[in-house]
């Protein structure tokens, strides 16, 4: 979700400060301080705090004020919270958590998709796998990220598991972050990319075990790539 205007700027600024640990758990936020920091009205400050409260980053109580909650209480699946964590000093931990989540979920989603997906969805999955492969071969990084996100969104949705399907936004944040944080390999056309075709074919043919195995190899390769790049670069932010 992209928040627009002054209200969005305040939410984003506070969210980044919270994710960076500049505002620590247990600290009390005063609306007056928010107003002064961002040069906004009390109404804008209050509405921004309400957005953060909806994401469980802060809690508000009468005669206590707005208190920063510990990260364990945050809605860590919220795409905007993920993005804030990925631009914080703790970005390496967030990247690893996302990679581990994918490794746990996507093979199971692929196996379910092989049994549940409709013919139309099976064709759509194959189309995205082919688009991804073509983008990788041509070095089209924007097309690559778009096709990759679409492939995994369809795969998770094709599982027939509504909770898996809602993780598509989480996966997309990771894929976008790899691009924005310069964590994509120089050579896009690799065996891990081509395994998307294996997943699509296994789903199309109803081969659950093969679909799970191929999906597992994709997320394992992606995790290893991120780990190698983190070790070598310290996870720089894109400029």
């Amino acid at each position: 979700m992209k928040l627009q205007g002054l209200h969005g700027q305040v939410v984003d600024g506070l969210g980044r400060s919270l994710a960076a640990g500049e505002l620590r758990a247990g600290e009390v936020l005063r609306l007056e301080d928010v107003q002064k920091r961002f040069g906004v009205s009390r109404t804008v400050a209050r509405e921004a705090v309400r957005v953060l409260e909806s994401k469980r980053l802060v809690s508000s109580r009468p005669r206590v004020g707005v208190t920063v909650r510990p990260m364990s209480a945050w809605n860590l699946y919220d795409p905007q919270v993920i993005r804030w964590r990925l631009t914080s000093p703790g970005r390496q931990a967030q990247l690893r958590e996302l990679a581990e989540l994918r490794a746990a979920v996507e093979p199971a989603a692929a196996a379910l998709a092989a049994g549940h997906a409709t013919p139309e969805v099976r064709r759509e999955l194959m189309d995205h796998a082919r688009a991804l492969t073509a983008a990788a071969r041509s070095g089209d990084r924007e097309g690559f990220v778009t096709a990759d996100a679409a492939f995994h969104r369809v795969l998770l949705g094709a599982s027939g598991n509504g909770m898996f399907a809602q993780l598509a936004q989480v996966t997309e944040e990771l894929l976008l972050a790899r691009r924005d944080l310069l964590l994509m390999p120089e050579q896009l056309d690799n065996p891990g990319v081509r395994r998307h075709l294996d997943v699509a074919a296994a789903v199309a043919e109803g081969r659950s075990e093969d679909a799970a195995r191929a999906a597992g190899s994709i997320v394992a390769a992606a995790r290893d790539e991120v780990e190698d790049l983190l070790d070598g670069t310290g996870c720089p932010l894109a400029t």
Side-chain angles (χ1 to χ4, degrees), residues 62-146:
R63 295 187 295 278
V64 174
V66 180
T67 305
V68 177
R69 303 183 74 182
M71 187 178 291
S72 59
W74 297 3
N75 178 7
L76 298 179
Y77 291 95
D78 184 293
Q80 198 167 28
V81 173
I82 292 171
R83 177 60 51 166
W84 289 331
R85 291 186 69 197
L86 286 170
T87 57
S88 78
R91 63 182 69 95
Q92 293 192 24
Q94 173 69 111
L95 281 166
R96 290 189 173 106
E97 287 177 11
L98 288 169
E100 290 165 0
L101 179 63
R102 289 187 69 196
V105 170
E106 290 201 28
L112 288 170
H116 292 292
T118 65
E120 293 77 15
V121 169
R122 295 171 197 267
R123 285 193 293 270
E124 185 181 1
L125 192 65
M126 181 61 75
D127 287 344
H128 290 313
R130 288 170 176 158
L132 174 66
T133 305
R137 288 173 178 166
S138 66
D140 178 5
R141 290 180 176 265
E142 285 303 313
F144 179 91
V145 171
T146 298

Side-chain angles (χ1 to χ4, degrees), residues 14-207:
L14 289 173
R16 288 174 182 271
S17 293
L18 288 161
E22 296 167 6
L23 298 169
R24 299 184 181 278
E27 285 190 43
V28 176
L29 289 173
R30 298 170 60 241
L31 289 180
E32 292 81 1
D33 293 334
V34 175
Q35 289 177 255
K36 182 177 180 180
R37 174 177 173 181
F38 295 98
V40 296
S41 67
R42 190 173 184 85
T43 298
V44 171
R46 185 182 295 111
E47 288 302 315
V49 166
R50 285 177 180 168
V51 173
L52 297 176
E53 191 172 11
S54 73
K55 299 175 185 293
R56 305 204 298 266
L57 275 69
V58 300
S59 61
S60 181
R61 295 174 58 191
R63 295 187 295 278
V64 174
V66 180
T67 305
V68 177
R69 303 183 74 182
M71 187 178 291
S72 59
W74 297 3
N75 178 7
L76 298 179
Y77 291 95
D78 184 293
Q80 198 167 28
V81 173
I82 292 171
R83 177 60 51 166
W84 289 331
R85 291 186 69 197
L86 286 170
T87 57
S88 78
R91 63 182 69 95
Q92 293 192 24
Q94 173 69 111
L95 281 166
R96 290 189 173 106
E97 287 177 11
L98 288 169
E100 290 165 0
L101 179 63
R102 289 187 69 196
V105 170
E106 290 201 28
L112 288 170
H116 292 292
T118 65
E120 293 77 15
V121 169
R122 295 171 197 267
R123 285 193 293 270
E124 185 181 1
L125 192 65
M126 181 61 75
D127 287 344
H128 290 313
R130 288 170 176 158
L132 174 66
T133 305
R137 288 173 178 166
S138 66
D140 178 5
R141 290 180 176 265
E142 285 303 313
F144 179 91
V145 171
T146 298
D148 201 13
F151 177 91
H152 291 284
R153 181 173 62 252
V154 171
L155 180 65
L156 289 165
S159 69
N161 183 311
M163 297 184 75
F164 282 3
Q166 289 195 12
L167 289 175
Q169 282 187 301
V170 175
T171 296
E172 187 165 356
E173 283 299 324
L174 174 57
L175 298 174
L176 293 174
R178 292 190 65 195
R179 176 197 65 192
D180 296 343
L181 301 177
L182 305 182
L183 291 173
M184 292 174 65
E186 285 297 319
Q187 182 62 40
L188 296 177
D189 187 20
N190 59 48
V193 170
R194 292 190 288 274
R195 289 190 189 104
H196 287 72
L197 291 169
D198 296 335
V199 172
V203 170
E205 297 166 11
R207 294 183 280 111

